Amino acid sequence: MDKFLKTGPRILFLFSDTGGGHRSATEAIIEALQLEVGDQVVTEMVDIFKEYSPRPLNRIPDLYPQLVRVPQAWGLGYRLSNGQHRARLITASAWPYVRRSIRNLVNQHPSDLIVSVHPLATAPVLRALGKTRSTPFITVVTDMVTTHALWYHRGTDLCIVPTEAARQRALMFGLQSEQVEVVGLPVAERFLQPQGDVAGLRRRLGWPVDLPVILLVGGGEGMGPLEKTAQAIAGARLPAALVVIAGRNQNLRLRLQSQNWPIPVFVYGFVREMPEFMQAADILVTKAGPGTISEAFIAGLPLILYSRLPGQEDGNVSYVVSEGAGVWAPEPEQIVSALREWIWHPEKRRRAAAASQKLARPEAARQIARILAERVGVAGREKNGA
Ligand code: UDP
Protein backbone atom coordinates (compact mmCIF):
# COMPACT_ATOMS: atom_id res chain seq x y z
CA MET A 1 0.00 0.00 0.00
CA ASP A 2 1.24 3.50 -0.70
CA LYS A 3 2.66 5.00 2.46
CA PHE A 4 0.48 8.09 2.03
CA LEU A 5 -2.68 5.99 2.13
CA LYS A 6 -1.69 4.42 5.42
CA THR A 7 -2.88 6.00 8.61
CA GLY A 8 -1.44 6.00 12.10
CA PRO A 9 1.46 7.81 13.70
CA ARG A 10 4.41 8.34 11.39
CA ILE A 11 7.96 7.51 12.42
CA LEU A 12 10.79 8.89 10.33
CA PHE A 13 14.17 7.13 10.44
CA LEU A 14 17.27 9.09 9.46
CA PHE A 15 20.16 6.94 8.34
CA SER A 16 22.75 6.69 5.58
CA ASP A 17 24.47 3.94 3.64
CA THR A 18 27.90 4.77 5.02
CA GLY A 19 28.88 1.15 5.60
CA GLY A 20 26.18 -1.45 6.09
CA GLY A 21 25.47 -1.00 9.79
CA HIS A 22 23.12 2.01 9.84
CA ARG A 23 20.78 0.45 7.29
CA SER A 24 20.84 -2.98 8.99
CA ALA A 25 20.01 -1.43 12.36
CA THR A 26 17.22 0.75 10.94
CA GLU A 27 15.66 -2.12 9.04
CA ALA A 28 15.84 -4.30 12.16
CA ILE A 29 13.90 -1.70 14.16
CA ILE A 30 11.28 -1.26 11.43
CA GLU A 31 10.83 -5.01 11.21
CA ALA A 32 10.51 -5.23 15.00
CA LEU A 33 7.90 -2.44 14.93
CA GLN A 34 5.93 -4.41 12.39
CA LEU A 35 6.13 -7.49 14.62
CA GLU A 36 5.24 -5.55 17.76
CA VAL A 37 2.49 -3.22 16.57
CA GLY A 38 1.74 -4.32 13.00
CA ASP A 39 0.34 -1.56 10.78
CA GLN A 40 -0.47 0.73 13.65
CA VAL A 41 2.50 2.95 12.76
CA VAL A 42 3.78 4.19 9.41
CA THR A 43 7.54 4.09 9.00
CA GLU A 44 9.82 5.80 6.53
CA MET A 45 13.59 5.75 5.97
CA VAL A 46 15.51 8.73 4.61
CA ASP A 47 19.18 8.60 3.62
CA ILE A 48 20.26 12.02 4.87
CA PHE A 49 23.25 12.24 2.56
CA LYS A 50 21.87 10.77 -0.66
CA GLU A 51 18.46 12.40 -0.44
CA TYR A 52 18.94 15.62 1.51
CA SER A 53 22.49 16.92 1.30
CA PRO A 54 23.93 19.35 -1.21
CA ARG A 55 26.75 18.27 -3.48
CA PRO A 56 29.36 16.90 -2.79
CA LEU A 57 27.98 15.67 0.57
CA ASN A 58 25.31 13.67 -1.26
CA ARG A 59 28.11 11.49 -2.62
CA ILE A 60 29.41 10.49 0.80
CA PRO A 61 27.74 7.04 0.81
CA ASP A 62 29.36 6.29 -2.59
CA LEU A 63 32.72 7.65 -1.51
CA TYR A 64 32.65 6.07 1.96
CA PRO A 65 34.48 2.86 0.97
CA GLN A 66 37.31 5.02 -0.41
CA LEU A 67 37.25 7.37 2.57
CA VAL A 68 37.86 4.52 4.98
CA ARG A 69 40.42 2.82 2.77
CA VAL A 70 43.12 4.97 4.37
CA PRO A 71 42.46 4.01 7.99
CA GLN A 72 45.19 6.26 9.42
CA ALA A 73 43.63 9.35 7.85
CA TRP A 74 40.19 8.27 9.00
CA GLY A 75 41.49 7.71 12.54
CA LEU A 76 43.12 11.13 12.59
CA GLY A 77 39.90 12.81 11.44
CA TYR A 78 37.99 10.85 14.07
CA ARG A 79 40.32 11.90 16.89
CA LEU A 80 40.50 15.53 15.81
CA SER A 81 36.73 15.85 15.66
CA ASN A 82 35.88 13.76 18.73
CA GLY A 83 35.06 16.16 21.54
CA GLN A 84 31.96 17.91 22.81
CA HIS A 85 33.04 21.37 21.66
CA ARG A 86 34.69 20.18 18.49
CA ALA A 87 31.53 18.29 17.54
CA ARG A 88 29.50 21.46 18.07
CA LEU A 89 31.95 23.47 16.02
CA ILE A 90 31.70 21.00 13.14
CA THR A 91 27.92 21.01 13.06
CA ALA A 92 27.79 24.81 13.46
CA SER A 93 30.14 25.36 10.52
CA ALA A 94 28.25 22.90 8.33
CA TRP A 95 24.88 24.49 9.12
CA PRO A 96 24.87 27.37 6.56
CA TYR A 97 25.75 24.84 3.92
CA VAL A 98 23.12 22.19 4.75
CA ARG A 99 20.39 24.42 6.23
CA ARG A 100 18.19 24.54 3.15
CA SER A 101 18.22 20.83 2.40
CA ILE A 102 17.71 19.79 6.02
CA ARG A 103 14.78 22.21 6.37
CA ASN A 104 13.31 20.65 3.22
CA LEU A 105 13.74 17.23 4.77
CA VAL A 106 11.84 18.25 7.89
CA ASN A 107 9.07 19.98 5.91
CA GLN A 108 8.62 17.20 3.40
CA HIS A 109 8.40 14.44 6.02
CA PRO A 110 6.00 15.58 8.73
CA SER A 111 6.30 12.94 11.45
CA ASP A 112 5.10 12.08 14.93
CA LEU A 113 8.55 10.87 15.91
CA ILE A 114 12.00 11.23 14.37
CA VAL A 115 14.64 8.60 15.03
CA SER A 116 18.25 9.31 14.16
CA VAL A 117 20.34 6.24 13.40
CA HIS A 118 23.33 8.24 12.13
CA PRO A 119 25.71 10.47 14.10
CA LEU A 120 25.66 13.19 11.45
CA ALA A 121 21.86 13.41 11.25
CA THR A 122 21.10 14.41 14.82
CA ALA A 123 22.46 17.95 15.22
CA PRO A 124 21.29 19.45 11.89
CA VAL A 125 17.80 17.96 12.09
CA LEU A 126 17.32 19.07 15.69
CA ARG A 127 18.45 22.52 14.65
CA ALA A 128 16.03 22.59 11.74
CA LEU A 129 13.19 21.55 14.04
CA GLY A 130 14.00 24.51 16.29
CA LYS A 131 14.01 24.99 20.04
CA THR A 132 10.22 24.93 20.26
CA ARG A 133 9.87 21.65 18.35
CA SER A 134 6.87 19.50 19.15
CA THR A 135 8.12 16.36 17.36
CA PRO A 136 9.80 13.90 19.73
CA PHE A 137 13.33 12.94 18.73
CA ILE A 138 15.19 9.75 19.65
CA THR A 139 18.74 8.70 18.82
CA VAL A 140 19.74 5.06 18.35
CA VAL A 141 23.52 4.73 18.58
CA THR A 142 24.85 2.01 16.28
CA ASP A 143 28.49 2.14 17.33
CA MET A 144 29.35 -0.07 20.26
CA VAL A 145 31.91 1.28 22.68
CA THR A 146 34.15 4.11 21.45
CA THR A 147 31.23 6.12 20.17
CA HIS A 148 31.88 9.55 18.62
CA ALA A 149 30.80 12.76 20.35
CA LEU A 150 28.59 13.60 17.35
CA TRP A 151 26.18 10.85 18.44
CA TYR A 152 25.38 12.69 21.65
CA HIS A 153 23.26 15.82 21.35
CA ARG A 154 21.75 17.25 24.50
CA GLY A 155 18.62 18.17 22.60
CA THR A 156 17.61 14.56 21.98
CA ASP A 157 14.72 13.23 24.09
CA LEU A 158 16.23 9.80 24.46
CA CYS A 159 19.52 8.27 23.42
CA ILE A 160 19.46 4.47 23.11
CA VAL A 161 22.90 2.91 23.34
CA PRO A 162 24.19 -0.66 22.88
CA THR A 163 26.56 -1.02 25.85
CA GLU A 164 27.28 0.40 29.30
CA ALA A 165 30.54 1.84 27.91
CA ALA A 166 28.53 3.80 25.32
CA ARG A 167 26.26 5.07 28.13
CA GLN A 168 29.29 6.30 30.06
CA ARG A 169 30.43 8.20 27.00
CA ALA A 170 27.00 9.75 26.57
CA LEU A 171 27.24 11.06 30.13
CA MET A 172 30.80 12.24 29.54
CA PHE A 173 29.63 14.17 26.48
CA GLY A 174 26.99 15.99 28.50
CA LEU A 175 23.77 13.96 28.35
CA GLN A 176 21.73 13.51 31.53
CA SER A 177 21.40 9.96 32.84
CA GLU A 178 17.60 9.98 32.33
CA GLN A 179 18.25 10.75 28.65
CA VAL A 180 20.24 7.53 28.09
CA GLU A 181 19.09 3.93 28.02
CA VAL A 182 21.22 0.82 27.42
CA VAL A 183 19.25 -1.58 25.23
CA GLY A 184 21.64 -3.21 22.75
CA LEU A 185 22.28 -2.96 19.04
CA PRO A 186 19.20 -3.79 16.96
CA VAL A 187 19.63 -6.96 14.93
CA ALA A 188 17.17 -8.41 12.38
CA GLU A 189 14.69 -11.03 13.57
CA ARG A 190 16.10 -13.55 11.08
CA PHE A 191 19.24 -13.82 13.23
CA LEU A 192 17.09 -14.97 16.15
CA GLN A 193 15.26 -17.76 14.35
CA PRO A 194 16.94 -21.14 14.00
CA GLN A 195 17.47 -21.68 10.27
CA GLY A 196 17.50 -25.48 10.43
CA ASP A 197 20.24 -27.90 11.43
CA VAL A 198 23.82 -27.07 10.52
CA ALA A 199 24.33 -30.12 8.29
CA GLY A 200 21.13 -29.39 6.36
CA LEU A 201 22.08 -25.74 5.95
CA ARG A 202 25.56 -26.63 4.72
CA ARG A 203 24.21 -29.13 2.23
CA ARG A 204 21.85 -26.49 0.88
CA LEU A 205 24.70 -23.98 0.61
CA GLY A 206 27.00 -26.57 -0.99
CA TRP A 207 29.54 -26.33 1.85
CA PRO A 208 31.33 -29.38 3.29
CA VAL A 209 29.60 -30.99 6.24
CA ASP A 210 32.68 -32.66 7.69
CA LEU A 211 35.09 -29.70 7.94
CA PRO A 212 35.14 -26.64 10.20
CA VAL A 213 33.84 -23.65 8.22
CA ILE A 214 35.59 -20.29 8.53
CA LEU A 215 33.46 -17.31 7.54
CA LEU A 216 35.42 -14.23 6.41
CA VAL A 217 33.55 -10.90 6.23
CA GLY A 218 34.67 -7.29 5.73
CA GLY A 219 31.48 -5.38 6.56
CA GLY A 220 28.92 -4.37 3.95
CA GLU A 221 31.61 -2.98 1.64
CA GLY A 222 34.16 -5.81 1.79
CA MET A 223 36.63 -3.63 3.65
CA GLY A 224 40.06 -4.31 5.13
CA PRO A 225 42.73 -6.56 3.60
CA LEU A 226 40.21 -9.29 2.73
CA GLU A 227 42.10 -10.72 -0.22
CA LYS A 228 45.43 -10.99 1.60
CA THR A 229 43.62 -12.53 4.56
CA ALA A 230 41.79 -15.10 2.41
CA GLN A 231 45.06 -16.05 0.71
CA ALA A 232 46.87 -16.46 4.02
CA ILE A 233 44.11 -18.65 5.47
CA ALA A 234 43.85 -20.83 2.38
CA GLY A 235 47.65 -20.95 2.01
CA ALA A 236 47.99 -22.39 5.51
CA ARG A 237 46.09 -25.44 4.24
CA LEU A 238 44.22 -25.91 7.48
CA PRO A 239 41.71 -28.75 7.50
CA ALA A 240 38.81 -26.35 7.00
CA ALA A 241 36.63 -24.69 4.38
CA LEU A 242 36.66 -20.93 3.84
CA VAL A 243 33.63 -18.80 2.96
CA VAL A 244 34.54 -15.27 1.84
CA ILE A 245 31.96 -12.49 1.62
CA ALA A 246 33.15 -9.59 -0.49
CA GLY A 247 30.00 -7.53 0.19
CA ARG A 248 29.41 -4.71 -2.30
CA ASN A 249 33.06 -4.81 -3.39
CA GLN A 250 32.51 -6.26 -6.88
CA ASN A 251 36.12 -6.08 -8.02
CA LEU A 252 37.24 -8.01 -5.00
CA ARG A 253 34.58 -10.67 -5.57
CA LEU A 254 35.66 -11.14 -9.18
CA ARG A 255 39.35 -11.33 -8.22
CA LEU A 256 38.64 -13.89 -5.51
CA GLN A 257 36.41 -15.95 -7.79
CA SER A 258 39.08 -16.20 -10.46
CA GLN A 259 41.71 -17.72 -8.14
CA ASN A 260 42.65 -21.36 -7.60
CA TRP A 261 42.46 -22.23 -3.97
CA PRO A 262 44.29 -25.03 -2.15
CA ILE A 263 41.33 -25.65 0.23
CA PRO A 264 37.56 -25.50 -0.42
CA VAL A 265 36.76 -21.78 -0.81
CA PHE A 266 33.32 -20.28 -1.49
CA VAL A 267 33.20 -16.65 -2.62
CA TYR A 268 30.09 -14.47 -2.46
CA GLY A 269 29.21 -10.83 -3.12
CA PHE A 270 26.65 -9.08 -0.92
CA VAL A 271 24.54 -11.81 0.66
CA ARG A 272 21.07 -11.56 2.17
CA GLU A 273 21.46 -14.89 3.98
CA MET A 274 23.91 -13.72 6.64
CA PRO A 275 21.89 -15.39 9.43
CA GLU A 276 22.11 -18.76 7.64
CA PHE A 277 25.81 -18.23 6.90
CA MET A 278 26.56 -17.42 10.52
CA GLN A 279 24.59 -20.38 11.79
CA ALA A 280 26.30 -22.77 9.40
CA ALA A 281 29.84 -21.49 10.17
CA ASP A 282 32.15 -22.37 13.08
CA ILE A 283 34.42 -19.33 13.24
CA LEU A 284 33.97 -15.75 12.09
CA VAL A 285 36.94 -13.73 10.84
CA THR A 286 35.75 -10.17 10.42
CA LYS A 287 36.42 -6.46 10.41
CA ALA A 288 35.29 -5.15 13.79
CA GLY A 289 31.95 -3.77 12.53
CA PRO A 290 29.33 -3.39 15.28
CA GLY A 291 26.51 -4.94 13.24
CA THR A 292 28.45 -8.05 12.30
CA ILE A 293 29.81 -8.47 15.83
CA SER A 294 26.34 -8.19 17.41
CA GLU A 295 24.97 -10.71 14.92
CA ALA A 296 27.88 -13.07 15.68
CA PHE A 297 27.09 -12.82 19.41
CA ILE A 298 23.56 -14.00 18.70
CA ALA A 299 24.84 -16.86 16.53
CA GLY A 300 27.34 -17.74 19.29
CA LEU A 301 30.27 -17.49 16.88
CA PRO A 302 33.82 -17.06 18.19
CA LEU A 303 35.48 -14.05 16.57
CA ILE A 304 38.83 -13.31 15.02
CA LEU A 305 38.96 -9.57 14.38
CA TYR A 306 41.44 -8.78 11.62
CA SER A 307 40.84 -5.09 11.03
CA ARG A 308 39.01 -2.16 12.51
CA LEU A 309 38.16 1.37 11.58
CA PRO A 310 40.35 3.50 13.89
CA GLY A 311 38.17 5.48 16.25
CA GLN A 312 34.68 4.11 16.29
CA GLU A 313 35.71 0.45 16.07
CA ASP A 314 38.69 0.51 18.48
CA GLY A 315 36.46 -0.21 21.45
CA ASN A 316 34.74 -3.11 19.69
CA VAL A 317 38.05 -4.92 19.62
CA SER A 318 38.82 -4.43 23.31
CA TYR A 319 35.24 -5.37 24.20
CA VAL A 320 35.33 -8.68 22.29
CA VAL A 321 38.82 -9.56 23.52
CA SER A 322 38.28 -8.63 27.17
CA GLU A 323 35.06 -10.64 27.30
CA GLY A 324 36.84 -13.72 25.90
CA ALA A 325 34.61 -13.86 22.80
CA GLY A 326 37.48 -13.57 20.36
CA VAL A 327 40.97 -12.42 19.51
CA TRP A 328 42.58 -9.47 17.76
CA ALA A 329 44.75 -10.64 14.88
CA PRO A 330 45.69 -7.73 12.59
CA GLU A 331 48.35 -9.68 10.68
CA PRO A 332 47.56 -12.67 8.43
CA GLU A 333 50.02 -14.89 10.38
CA GLN A 334 48.19 -14.04 13.60
CA ILE A 335 44.87 -14.98 12.01
CA VAL A 336 46.30 -18.28 10.85
CA SER A 337 47.73 -19.12 14.27
CA ALA A 338 44.44 -18.20 15.98
CA LEU A 339 42.59 -20.44 13.52
CA ARG A 340 45.05 -23.23 14.05
CA GLU A 341 44.54 -22.99 17.81
CA TRP A 342 40.75 -23.16 17.51
CA ILE A 343 40.72 -25.90 14.89
CA TRP A 344 43.12 -28.19 16.77
CA HIS A 345 41.69 -27.34 20.19
CA PRO A 346 37.93 -27.25 19.71
CA GLU A 347 37.39 -26.87 23.47
CA LYS A 348 39.06 -23.42 23.27
CA ARG A 349 36.81 -22.53 20.36
CA ARG A 350 33.76 -23.64 22.32
CA ARG A 351 34.79 -21.47 25.27
CA ALA A 352 35.05 -18.40 23.03
CA ALA A 353 31.74 -19.32 21.39
CA ALA A 354 30.02 -19.47 24.78
CA ALA A 355 31.54 -16.11 25.77
CA SER A 356 30.31 -14.65 22.48
CA GLN A 357 26.77 -15.89 23.05
CA LYS A 358 26.76 -14.39 26.54
CA LEU A 359 27.14 -10.91 25.03
CA ALA A 360 24.11 -11.33 22.76
CA ARG A 361 21.20 -8.93 23.13
CA PRO A 362 18.65 -10.59 20.88
CA GLU A 363 15.77 -8.56 22.31
CA ALA A 364 17.27 -5.16 21.41
CA ALA A 365 15.29 -4.45 18.24
CA ARG A 366 11.99 -5.48 19.84
CA GLN A 367 12.73 -3.42 22.94
CA ILE A 368 13.59 -0.36 20.86
CA ALA A 369 10.42 -0.89 18.83
CA ARG A 370 8.34 -0.91 22.01
CA ILE A 371 9.98 2.30 23.22
CA LEU A 372 9.25 4.02 19.90
CA ALA A 373 5.68 2.73 19.74
CA GLU A 374 5.03 3.97 23.24
CA ARG A 375 6.35 7.43 22.30
CA VAL A 376 3.74 7.70 19.57
CA GLY A 377 0.98 6.34 21.80
CA VAL A 378 0.70 2.86 20.32
CA ALA A 379 0.71 -0.16 22.63
CA GLY A 380 2.74 -3.25 21.73
CA ARG A 381 1.23 -6.73 21.38
CA GLU A 382 2.14 -7.57 24.98
CA LYS A 383 0.15 -4.62 26.30
CA ASN A 384 -2.71 -5.39 23.94
CA GLY A 385 -2.72 -8.87 25.41
CA ALA A 386 -1.98 -10.40 21.99
N1 UDP B 1 26.02 -7.62 5.53
C1 UDP B 1 25.12 -8.35 4.77
N2 UDP B 1 25.57 -8.97 3.65
C2 UDP B 1 26.86 -8.91 3.25
C3 UDP B 1 27.79 -8.19 4.03
C4 UDP B 1 27.34 -7.55 5.18
O1 UDP B 1 23.92 -8.43 5.09
O2 UDP B 1 27.19 -9.51 2.24
C5 UDP B 1 25.51 -6.93 6.73
C6 UDP B 1 26.01 -7.54 8.02
O3 UDP B 1 25.25 -8.69 8.36
C7 UDP B 1 25.83 -6.36 8.96
C8 UDP B 1 26.13 -5.15 8.07
O4 UDP B 1 25.99 -5.60 6.72
O5 UDP B 1 24.49 -6.28 9.42
C9 UDP B 1 27.53 -4.61 8.26
O6 UDP B 1 27.52 -3.81 9.38
P1 UDP B 1 28.79 -3.57 10.29
O7 UDP B 1 28.36 -2.63 11.37
O8 UDP B 1 29.37 -4.85 10.72
O9 UDP B 1 29.89 -2.92 9.34
P2 UDP B 1 29.84 -1.64 8.36
O10 UDP B 1 29.60 -2.18 6.99
O11 UDP B 1 28.73 -0.72 8.84
O12 UDP B 1 31.19 -1.05 8.49
Side-chain angles (χ1 to χ4, degrees):
M1 202 201 305
D2 188 288
K3 65 185 164 67
F4 292 106
L5 298 179
K6 285 191 179 177
T7 54
R10 311 176 72 80
I11 306 181
L12 172 65
F13 289 87
L14 306 172
F15 84 108
S16 186
D17 275 323
T18 48
H22 302 290
R23 176 183 284 277
S24 297
T26 309
E27 288 178 348
I29 301 170
I30 291 177
E31 175 191 41
L33 269 168
Q34 178 66 34
L35 292 164
E36 287 287 326
V37 300
D39 285 335
Q40 293 183 78
V41 296
V42 183
T43 57
E44 197 182 357
M45 286 171 73
V46 165
D47 186 319
I48 46 142
F49 284 122
K50 274 192 196 148
E51 297 175 57
Y52 281 98
S53 294
R55 275 200 282 179
L57 291 181
N58 62 344
R59 298 214 47 228
I60 284 187
D62 296 332
L63 296 175
Y64 183 79
Q66 275 122 35
L67 291 176
V68 294
R69 209 148 276 162
V70 191
Q72 292 81 356
W74 179 272
L76 183 68
Y78 183 94
R79 279 198 304 280
L80 290 178
S81 59
N82 191 17
Q84 207 176 333
H85 300 295
R86 279 172 266 176
R88 260 191 240 146
L89 193 69
I90 291 167
T91 48
S93 20
W95 178 244
Y97 187 54
V98 300
R99 174 173 44 204
R100 220 164 66 150
S101 36
I102 297 296
R103 284 198 176 134
N104 283 343
L105 188 171
V106 168
N107 293 335
Q108 288 166 10
H109 300 273
S111 312
D112 298 288
L113 169 63
I114 299 180
V115 182
S116 167
V117 193
H118 200 285
L120 295 173
T122 307
V125 173
L126 277 171
R127 185 155 181 182
L129 288 166
K131 286 212 163 69
T132 55
R133 74 179 158 87
S134 53
T135 316
F137 192 100
I138 291 181
T139 313
V140 178
V141 175
T142 63
D143 283 320
M144 262 182 154
V145 178
T146 33
T147 41
H148 196 281
L150 280 164
W151 276 111
Y152 303 118
H153 193 290
R154 289 180 192 186
T156 194
D157 296 316
L158 179 67
C159 182
I160 296 173
V161 294
T163 59
E164 176 55 29
R167 191 182 83 89
Q168 291 301 333
R169 273 172 94 88
L171 302 181
M172 183 178 94
F173 286 129
L175 264 63
Q176 301 298 310
S177 64
E178 58 277 13
Q179 268 177 300
V180 192
E181 201 167 327
V182 184
V183 174
L185 203 119
V187 167
E189 191 77 12
R190 293 180 305 137
F191 285 91
L192 317 186
Q193 313 289 344
Q195 311 288 331
D197 69 304
V198 171
L201 265 178
R202 286 195 187 176
R203 270 193 288 273
R204 185 165 70 67
L205 293 164
W207 302 354
V209 176
D210 50 354
L211 284 175
V213 172
I214 303 160
L215 180 60
L216 173 59
V217 193
E221 312 292 341
M223 288 188 286
L226 260 183
E227 186 170 8
K228 204 168 74 171
T229 305
Q231 283 164 344
I233 296 173
R237 294 171 191 266
L238 298 167
L242 175 64
V243 175
V244 191
I245 299 185
R248 294 193 193 86
N249 191 338
Q250 293 261 27
N251 290 337
L252 175 68
R253 177 176 61 79
L254 294 173
R255 272 203 314 277
L256 291 169
Q257 280 172 337
S258 66
Q259 295 180 33
N260 285 323
W261 300 96
I263 64 169
V265 172
F266 304 84
V267 178
Y268 298 84
F270 193 89
V271 298
R272 292 291 308 159
E273 312 97 311
M274 196 60 95
E276 288 84 344
F277 279 39
M278 284 198 181
Q279 239 173 69
D282 295 295
I283 298 169
L284 180 65
V285 182
T286 178
K287 174 185 91 78
T292 307
I293 291 177
S294 307
E295 293 157 4
F297 289 163
I298 292 174
L301 273 178
L303 293 138
I304 296 175
L305 302 175
Y306 74 89
S307 95
R308 64 180 180 11
L309 215 47
Q312 76 252 44
E313 290 179 357
D314 286 338
N316 304 359
V317 174
S318 40
Y319 184 56
V320 165
V321 173
S322 67
E323 297 290 337
V327 295
W328 170 235
E331 294 299 328
E333 313 84 70
Q334 293 168 308
I335 299 173
V336 169
S337 67
L339 285 170
R340 205 168 268 134
E341 189 76 0
W342 279 351
I343 288 171
W344 294 117
H345 303 281
E347 71 289 354
K348 291 188 182 169
R349 184 169 91 216
R350 279 194 289 273
R351 258 204 307 277
S356 170
Q357 196 136 44
K358 249 176 85 180
L359 299 174
R361 286 183 177 265
E363 269 292 305
R366 295 284 198 122
Q367 240 173 298
I368 294 171
R370 289 196 285 270
I371 293 170
L372 305 188
E374 206 164 298
R375 282 289 159 130
V376 293
V378 171
R381 291 202 195 288
E382 260 171 31
K383 288 203 176 149
N384 281 333

